[in-house]
Amino acid sequence: MSQININPSTSKDSEYVRQQLVAYNAAHVSEELRHRYEELNFNIKNETGEIVAGVLSTLCWNWLEVDIPLGGF
């Protein structure tokens, strides 16, 4: 049996894994959805125009990925 090690990823490692996952998933998604990608970013401002909350998200292949929700800052 071979030994397997879990290691922290460098930014180069992370980019490689990301590219491989996207390529694999794209090969298994219908052509109709393959190019569906849209950033959906919103914020809430108070009466003086300051941003007090927000969300950064992506609509990808009919999935909503919430990256960073923030509130009360």
Side-chain angles (χ1 to χ4, degrees), residues 1-72:
M1 183 173 178
S2 63
Q3 183 177 356
I4 298 174
N5 296 311
I6 297 175
N7 305 297
S9 290
T10 64
S11 58
K12 185 177 179 179
D13 296 335
S14 296
E15 184 58 31
Y16 174 80
V17 170
R18 183 175 290 105
Q19 289 173 355
Q20 295 303 307
L21 290 170
V22 168
Y24 176 85
N25 290 334
H28 295 86
V29 171
S30 70
E31 184 64 36
E32 174 187 345
L33 296 176
R34 193 166 295 159
H35 304 288
R36 180 146 192 207
Y37 180 91
E38 179 182 359
E39 288 187 11
L40 301 171
N41 303 319
F42 301 96
N43 65 69
I44 298 172
K45 295 181 181 179
N46 66 16
E47 61 280 347
T48 64
E50 289 180 285
I51 296 176
V52 296
V55 64
L56 304 179
S57 61
T58 305
L59 179 64
C60 181
W61 303 339
N62 282 356
W63 289 81
L64 180 63
E65 300 172 358
V66 177
D67 299 319
I68 304 174
L70 297 173

